[in-house]
Amino acid sequence: MAAATTRRLCATSRILNSPFWTSRRTPDERCLWTSVPKQSPIGSEPEPESPRMKTEVPGPTSQHLLKELDKIQNVGSVHFFCDYEKSKGNYVVDVDGNVMLDLFTQISSLPLGYNHPAMIAAATDPANLATFVNRPALGVYPPADWVARLQGALIDIAPPGFRHVQTMACGACSVEHGMKAMFIKYMSDRRGGAPFTKEEMDTSLRNQQPGAPNLSVLSFDNAFHGRTMGCLGLTHTKWIHKIDFPAPDWPIARFPVLQYPLEDFVEENIAEEKMCLEMVEDLIEKWGRKGMPVAGVAVEPIQGEGGDNMASQDFFQGLRDITNQRGIGLLMDEVQTGCGATGTFWAHEQFNLTDTPDVVTFSKKMLTGGFFHKDSFKPKEGYRIFNTWVGDPAKVSLLEAVVKVIQTDGLLDQARGLGTHCAIDFNEAAIRDKVMARLREKGVHTGGSGVSTLRFRPALILQTKHVDIFLDRVDSILSKLDKTA
């Protein structure tokens, strides 16, 4: 990237100094846009040069389709309907012909943007046709090439220290079954490798101890790990996710609330993280005394839905030390951070842990769900971590293409540091929402998280020119907000 462009990005004073938001980055980290990678080719037709807006969003066609869909299912979460055939690269096109720069990319799930030629080639490859058509029940009847596909798409890019992977369909079921792997390991250790007793087998069918042990998993404030019933026990972001649903009585620790800029609050942040780790240990002790021993800890390397909250590598090393000392599992939920958005394929690689996590879950940009796990977390019996499909080989075929493009185009080398996984905190949710709405009016689609955070989840093919479009538009919006403040 040219030096002049770098200076421009770092010197966008209105954005960094606006009274309406707080930058949660050090000065160097505030230049986070300078590390975005070059764009890969997206096919025979180039992506649009810039946003083009024809109507409000949702426009009349989207509004009509919303009314029709409302007759079939709840539409409270629908923003607008898309024209996926016309969407290209970093741009999404809606059914009213609005062309928007997409910095949210299907809730952070498009690694190479829209209609990338490598993805189209994989989807139309005759060698993949039988797998696409028949969708094998992988846990019982895997195809002949399944081992090779797992090796090329997943094992080759596994976090350091991992050689076991289990595919799943989505992020929530990945975390759900990752928890089961921790429970299995915890109870196997305490059973000393002995076979199940008849009492254990019989009582498990009645949801009673000892076959259904009263175990727990520790999680953190503002965490999001999914919406299935088990995962909701770990999820603590918005009430709408949880209200009316029974939840297990599992411990919830404080996730560090760091003060920014980091270099101005070194001692305060060290004390904050120390306090949080002490709370983790206290809660493990407390739940043990309650007869609900903690079998594992689940944590995100960056809390995505909770507002892009971060902690230092010392905090995560502390978690690893605590869990190892107590013989309990550590699940690192990389559903939103995996697949290179942070400059390494897995965000936790940047923590330089002396021992890897025990379970690492993935989905979203990885296209398929699943989890990596250590050797000792591999079940000894079949059907223990299982469902009809345990994943989708069609998605693994697409992931193979993604991995090749990332490696061939050097996308990880160009997305350094925190790369494109970043966010901005506004002073109020209402101001955040107003800025997001006005950005969309100007053809830039973003997403919200936490209480008042605007998050960016672009594709790995984002270029400097796309960042410039965003900066120009948000600068214009903030200047008008300044005048009306």
Side-chain angles (χ1 to χ4, degrees):
M1 181 181 296
T5 304
T6 301
R7 287 194 296 272
R8 176 186 181 265
L9 296 178
C10 295
T12 310
S13 59
R14 182 178 300 283
I15 292 173
L16 296 180
N17 299 318
S18 170
F20 296 104
W21 71 32
T22 301
S23 172
R24 294 184 292 124
R25 300 288 184 268
T26 64
D28 287 342
E29 289 172 324
R30 290 176 184 177
C31 302
L32 47 90
W33 291 113
T34 66
S35 61
V36 297
K38 297 177 182 177
Q39 182 180 2
S40 303
I42 62 170
S44 57
E45 295 184 11
E47 72 170 20
E49 287 296 323
S50 62
R52 298 192 303 270
M53 302 302 291
K54 296 182 176 180
T55 72
E56 62 180 354
V57 180
T61 306
S62 272
Q63 292 182 35
H64 170 74
L65 291 172
L66 276 167
K67 292 178 180 177
E68 294 302 308
L69 182 60
D70 190 44
K71 299 174 183 177
I72 302 171
Q73 59 184 224
N74 182 279
V75 297
S77 62
V78 178
H79 290 192
F80 53 86
F81 283 75
C82 298
D83 185 335
Y84 288 108
E85 291 185 6
K86 293 181 180 178
S87 299
K88 296 287 184 179
N90 294 280
Y91 285 85
V92 63
V93 180
D94 73 3
V95 292
D96 289 283
N98 295 302
V99 180
M100 291 170 275
L101 175 62
D102 192 353
L103 300 181
F104 197 39
T105 58
Q106 305 296 310
I107 318 178
S108 189
S109 64
L110 286 183
L112 304 179
Y114 295 95
N115 291 311
H116 192 284
M119 305 287 281
I120 293 173
T124 56
D125 185 347
N128 294 328
L129 184 60
T131 300
F132 287 4
V133 170
N134 296 296
R135 192 174 184 182
L138 294 170
V140 184
Y141 312 108
D145 63 355
W146 187 230
V147 175
R149 288 194 180 277
L150 286 178
Q151 184 68 49
L154 288 165
I155 297 301
D156 285 353
I157 51 87
F162 289 90
R163 62 185 184 92
H164 292 286
V165 68
Q166 175 63 64
T167 52
M168 285 289 161
C170 67
C173 59
S174 301
V175 175
E176 195 87 21
H177 288 276
M179 282 194 288
K180 288 170 66 176
M182 292 197 296
F183 291 141
I184 291 170
K185 173 64 162 56
Y186 183 88
M187 292 305 298
S188 177
D189 287 349
R190 277 137 191 84
R191 199 178 285 116
F196 306 119
T197 66
K198 186 176 187 305
E199 181 187 19
E200 287 174 326
M201 291 187 284
D202 290 345
T203 54
S204 71
L205 300 177
R206 300 193 296 273
N207 303 337
Q208 297 174 357
Q209 299 186 55
N214 205 12
L215 303 178
S216 62
V217 175
L218 183 144
S219 56
F220 292 88
D221 288 331
N222 298 312
F224 183 90
H225 294 284
R227 291 179 172 86
T228 53
M229 293 301 290
C231 290
L232 283 177
L234 311 176
T235 292
H236 317 294
T237 45
K238 297 180 175 64
W239 61 265
I240 195 67
H241 300 152
K242 302 191 61 155
I243 197 165
D244 289 337
F245 306 137
D249 180 20
W250 289 354
I252 307 167
R254 177 183 173 93
F255 191 82
V257 179
L258 302 184
Q259 299 183 59
Y260 292 85
L262 295 176
E263 68 274 14
D264 291 347
F265 296 96
V266 174
E267 295 301 321
E268 292 88 344
N269 289 336
I270 290 174
E272 168 74 6
E273 293 190 339
K274 182 175 182 290
M275 182 267 289
C276 293
L277 290 172
E278 290 173 349
M279 180 180 291
V280 168
E281 295 202 85
D282 289 344
L283 289 170
I284 292 173
E285 291 286 346
K286 181 178 179 180
W287 256 253
R289 292 192 299 270
K290 290 173 61 172
M292 299 179 65
V294 174
V297 172
V299 66
E300 301 158 88
I302 302 173
Q303 289 188 328
E305 293 293 327
D308 273 36
N309 307 313
M310 302 178 187
S312 74
Q313 65 180 28
D314 291 336
F315 172 77
F316 288 99
Q317 182 62 61
L319 277 184
R320 179 68 282 188
D321 292 341
I322 291 170
T323 51
N324 274 341
Q325 290 162 7
R326 295 176 176 271
I328 62 180
L330 176 62
L331 184 154
M332 193 73 70
D333 185 349
E334 293 249 23
V335 165
Q336 201 167 126
T337 51
C339 202
T342 62
T344 49
F345 218 100
W346 306 100
H348 79 267
E349 293 181 67
Q350 299 185 38
F351 301 151
N352 299 310
L353 301 177
T354 57
D355 183 26
T356 61
D358 299 304
V359 176
V360 176
T361 57
F362 57 84
S363 189
K364 288 194 179 287
K365 278 186 171 67
M366 291 290 287
L367 303 182
T368 180
F371 61 94
F372 298 99
H373 58 87
K374 287 184 175 177
D375 298 7
S376 58
F377 284 72
K378 180 181 178 181
K380 296 179 175 63
E381 306 85 10
Y383 295 98
R384 299 215 70 190
I385 295 180
F386 185 84
N387 55 49
T388 298
W389 288 311
V390 286
D392 183 350
K395 299 300 186 290
V396 175
S397 299
L398 295 174
L399 179 59
E400 283 182 303
V402 170
V403 171
K404 289 178 182 177
V405 170
I406 289 175
Q407 294 172 339
T408 301
D409 292 3
L411 297 185
L412 294 188
D413 295 335
Q414 298 178 80
R416 299 180 302 274
L418 292 175
T420 56
H421 194 107
C422 50
I424 296 166
D425 283 340
F426 285 79
N427 292 345
E428 299 175 11
I431 297 176
R432 185 271 314 271
D433 295 344
K434 181 183 293 186
V435 170
M436 285 179 58
R438 292 185 179 177
L439 275 170
R440 196 163 67 179
E441 291 172 3
K442 292 177 176 290
V444 178
H445 181 54
T446 57
S449 66
V451 175
S452 57
T453 299
L454 189 156
R455 57 177 162 169
F456 304 95
R457 297 294 186 269
L460 298 175
I461 60 170
L462 192 75
Q463 291 189 78
T464 303
K465 66 180 182 180
H466 304 115
V467 178
D468 288 342
I469 289 170
F470 163 75
L471 290 174
D472 288 342
R473 282 157 174 74
V474 77
D475 187 55
S476 170
I477 292 168
L478 287 178
S479 65
K480 293 177 181 178
L481 287 177
D482 288 342
K483 293 175 182 178
T484 59

Coordinates of all heavy atoms in Angstrom, one line a residue, residues 212-248:
A212 N -26.2 -39.5 34.0 CA -26.3 -38.1 33.6 C -25.7 -37.2 34.6 O -26.4 -36.7 35.5 CB -27.8 -37.8 33.3
P213 N -24.4 -37.1 34.6 CA -23.7 -36.3 35.7 C -24.1 -34.9 35.7 O -24.4 -34.3 34.7 CB -22.3 -36.6 35.4 CG -22.2 -36.8 33.9 CD -23.4 -37.5 33.6
N214 N -24.1 -34.3 36.9 CA -24.4 -32.9 37.0 C -23.2 -32.0 36.8 O -22.6 -31.4 37.7 CB -25.0 -32.7 38.4 CG -25.9 -31.5 38.5 OD1 -26.3 -30.9 37.5 ND2 -26.3 -31.0 39.7
L215 N -22.8 -31.9 35.6 CA -21.6 -31.1 35.2 C -21.9 -29.7 34.7 O -23.1 -29.5 34.4 CB -20.8 -31.9 34.1 CG -20.3 -33.3 34.4 CD1 -19.6 -33.9 33.2 CD2 -19.4 -33.3 35.7
S216 N -20.9 -28.9 34.6 CA -21.2 -27.5 34.1 C -20.0 -27.1 33.3 O -18.9 -27.7 33.3 CB -21.3 -26.5 35.3 OG -20.1 -26.5 36.1
V217 N -20.2 -26.0 32.5 CA -19.2 -25.4 31.7 C -19.2 -23.9 32.1 O -20.2 -23.3 32.1 CB -19.5 -25.5 30.2 CG1 -18.5 -24.8 29.4 CG2 -19.5 -27.0 29.8
L218 N -18.0 -23.4 32.3 CA -17.9 -22.0 32.7 C -17.8 -21.1 31.4 O -17.1 -21.5 30.5 CB -16.7 -21.7 33.5 CG -16.4 -20.3 34.1 CD1 -15.8 -20.4 35.5 CD2 -15.5 -19.5 33.2
S219 N -18.5 -20.0 31.4 CA -18.5 -19.1 30.3 C -18.3 -17.6 30.8 O -18.1 -17.5 32.0 CB -19.7 -19.2 29.4 OG -20.9 -19.0 30.2
F220 N -18.5 -16.7 29.9 CA -18.1 -15.3 30.3 C -19.3 -14.3 29.9 O -20.0 -14.5 29.0 CB -16.9 -14.8 29.6 CG -15.6 -15.5 30.1 CD1 -15.2 -16.7 29.5 CD2 -14.9 -15.0 31.2 CE1 -14.1 -17.4 30.0 CE2 -13.8 -15.7 31.6 CZ -13.4 -16.9 31.1
D221 N -19.3 -13.2 30.7 CA -20.3 -12.1 30.4 C -20.1 -11.7 28.9 O -18.9 -11.7 28.4 CB -19.9 -10.9 31.2 CG -20.4 -11.1 32.7 OD1 -21.3 -11.8 32.9 OD2 -19.7 -10.5 33.6
N222 N -21.2 -11.4 28.3 CA -21.2 -10.9 26.9 C -20.7 -11.9 25.9 O -20.4 -11.6 24.7 CB -20.3 -9.6 26.7 CG -20.8 -8.5 27.6 OD1 -22.0 -8.2 27.6 ND2 -20.0 -7.9 28.4
A223 N -20.6 -13.2 26.3 CA -20.3 -14.3 25.3 C -21.4 -14.6 24.4 O -22.6 -14.5 24.8 CB -19.8 -15.5 26.1
F224 N -21.1 -15.1 23.2 CA -22.1 -15.7 22.3 C -21.5 -17.0 21.7 O -20.5 -16.9 21.0 CB -22.5 -14.7 21.2 CG -23.6 -15.3 20.3 CD1 -24.9 -15.0 20.6 CD2 -23.3 -16.0 19.2 CE1 -25.9 -15.5 19.8 CE2 -24.3 -16.5 18.4 CZ -25.6 -16.3 18.7
H225 N -22.2 -18.1 22.0 CA -21.7 -19.4 21.5 C -22.8 -20.1 20.7 O -22.5 -21.3 20.4 CB -21.2 -20.2 22.7 CG -20.0 -19.7 23.4 ND1 -18.8 -19.7 22.8 CD2 -19.9 -19.0 24.6 CE1 -17.9 -19.2 23.7 NE2 -18.6 -18.7 24.7
G226 N -23.9 -19.5 20.5 CA -24.9 -20.2 19.7 C -26.3 -20.2 20.4 O -26.5 -19.8 21.5
R227 N -27.3 -20.6 19.6 CA -28.7 -20.5 20.1 C -29.4 -21.9 20.4 O -30.5 -21.9 20.7 CB -29.5 -19.8 19.0 CG -29.2 -18.3 18.9 CD -30.0 -17.7 17.8 NE -29.9 -16.2 17.7 CZ -28.9 -15.6 17.1 NH1 -28.0 -16.3 16.4 NH2 -28.9 -14.3 17.0
T228 N -28.7 -23.0 20.2 CA -29.2 -24.3 20.7 C -29.3 -24.3 22.2 O -28.6 -23.4 22.9 CB -28.4 -25.4 20.1 OG1 -27.0 -25.2 20.5 CG2 -28.5 -25.6 18.6
M229 N -30.0 -25.2 22.8 CA -30.3 -25.1 24.2 C -29.0 -25.2 25.1 O -28.9 -24.5 26.0 CB -31.3 -26.2 24.6 CG -32.7 -26.0 24.0 SD -33.4 -24.4 24.5 CE -33.7 -24.7 26.2
G230 N -28.1 -26.1 24.7 CA -26.9 -26.2 25.5 C -26.0 -25.0 25.3 O -25.5 -24.4 26.3
C231 N -25.9 -24.5 24.1 CA -25.1 -23.3 23.8 C -25.7 -22.0 24.5 O -25.0 -21.1 24.9 CB -25.0 -23.0 22.3 SG -24.0 -24.2 21.4
L232 N -27.0 -22.0 24.7 CA -27.6 -20.8 25.4 C -27.1 -20.8 26.8 O -27.2 -19.7 27.4 CB -29.1 -20.9 25.3 CG -29.8 -20.5 24.0 CD1 -31.3 -20.7 24.0 CD2 -29.4 -19.1 23.6
G233 N -26.7 -21.9 27.4 CA -26.2 -21.9 28.7 C -24.8 -21.1 28.8 O -24.4 -20.7 29.8
L234 N -24.2 -20.9 27.6 CA -22.9 -20.2 27.5 C -23.1 -18.8 26.9 O -22.1 -18.1 26.9 CB -22.0 -21.0 26.6 CG -21.8 -22.5 26.8 CD1 -20.8 -23.0 25.8 CD2 -21.2 -22.7 28.2
T235 N -24.3 -18.5 26.4 CA -24.5 -17.2 25.7 C -25.1 -16.2 26.6 O -26.1 -16.4 27.3 CB -25.4 -17.5 24.5 OG1 -24.7 -18.3 23.5 CG2 -25.9 -16.2 23.8
H236 N -24.5 -15.0 26.6 CA -25.0 -13.9 27.6 C -24.9 -12.5 26.9 O -24.4 -11.6 27.5 CB -24.1 -14.0 28.8 CG -23.8 -15.3 29.3 ND1 -24.8 -16.1 29.9 CD2 -22.7 -16.0 29.4 CE1 -24.3 -17.3 30.2 NE2 -23.0 -17.3 29.9
T237 N -25.4 -12.4 25.7 CA -25.4 -11.2 25.0 C -26.7 -10.4 25.1 O -26.9 -9.5 25.9 CB -25.0 -11.3 23.5 OG1 -25.7 -12.5 23.0 CG2 -23.5 -11.6 23.4
K238 N -27.7 -10.9 24.4 CA -29.0 -10.2 24.3 C -30.1 -11.1 24.9 O -30.2 -12.3 24.7 CB -29.4 -9.8 22.9 CG -28.4 -8.8 22.2 CD -28.8 -8.5 20.8 CE -27.9 -7.5 20.2 NZ -26.6 -7.9 20.0
W239 N -31.0 -10.5 25.6 CA -32.1 -11.2 26.2 C -33.0 -11.9 25.2 O -33.6 -13.0 25.5 CB -33.0 -10.3 27.1 CG -33.7 -9.2 26.4 CD1 -33.2 -7.9 26.3 CD2 -34.9 -9.3 25.7 NE1 -34.1 -7.2 25.5 CE2 -35.2 -8.0 25.2 CE3 -35.9 -10.3 25.5 CZ2 -36.3 -7.7 24.4 CZ3 -37.0 -10.0 24.7 CH2 -37.2 -8.7 24.2
I240 N -33.1 -11.3 24.0 CA -34.0 -12.0 23.0 C -33.5 -13.4 22.6 O -34.3 -14.2 22.2 CB -34.1 -11.1 21.8 CG1 -35.2 -11.5 20.8 CG2 -32.7 -11.1 21.0 CD1 -36.6 -11.2 21.4
H241 N -32.2 -13.6 22.8 CA -31.7 -15.0 22.6 C -32.2 -16.0 23.6 O -32.2 -17.2 23.3 CB -30.2 -15.0 22.6 CG -29.5 -14.1 21.6 ND1 -28.3 -13.5 21.8 CD2 -30.0 -13.6 20.4 CE1 -28.0 -12.7 20.7 NE2 -29.0 -12.8 19.9
K242 N -32.5 -15.6 24.8 CA -32.6 -16.5 25.9 C -34.0 -16.5 26.6 O -34.3 -17.5 27.3 CB -31.6 -16.2 27.0 CG -30.1 -16.2 26.4 CD -29.1 -16.2 27.5 CE -29.2 -17.3 28.4 NZ -28.0 -17.7 29.1
I243 N -34.8 -15.5 26.5 CA -36.0 -15.4 27.3 C -36.9 -16.5 27.0 O -37.1 -16.9 25.8 CB -36.6 -14.0 27.1 CG1 -37.6 -13.7 28.2 CG2 -37.2 -13.8 25.7 CD1 -38.0 -12.3 28.4
D244 N -37.6 -17.1 28.0 CA -38.5 -18.2 27.9 C -37.9 -19.5 27.8 O -38.6 -20.5 27.8 CB -39.5 -18.0 26.7 CG -40.5 -16.9 27.0 OD1 -40.7 -16.5 28.1 OD2 -41.1 -16.3 26.0
F245 N -36.6 -19.6 27.7 CA -35.9 -20.9 27.5 C -35.3 -21.3 28.8 O -34.5 -20.5 29.4 CB -34.9 -20.9 26.4 CG -35.4 -20.4 25.1 CD1 -34.7 -19.5 24.3 CD2 -36.6 -20.8 24.6 CE1 -35.1 -19.0 23.1 CE2 -37.1 -20.3 23.4 CZ -36.4 -19.4 22.6
P246 N -35.5 -22.5 29.3 CA -34.8 -23.0 30.5 C -33.3 -23.0 30.2 O -32.8 -23.4 29.1 CB -35.3 -24.4 30.7 CG -35.9 -24.8 29.4 CD -36.3 -23.6 28.7
A247 N -32.5 -22.7 31.2 CA -31.0 -22.7 31.0 C -30.4 -23.3 32.2 O -30.8 -23.2 33.4 CB -30.5 -21.2 30.9
P248 N -29.2 -24.0 32.0 CA -28.6 -24.7 33.1 C -27.9 -23.7 34.1 O -27.6 -22.5 33.7 CB -27.5 -25.5 32.4 CG -27.2 -24.8 31.1 CD -28.5 -24.2 30.7

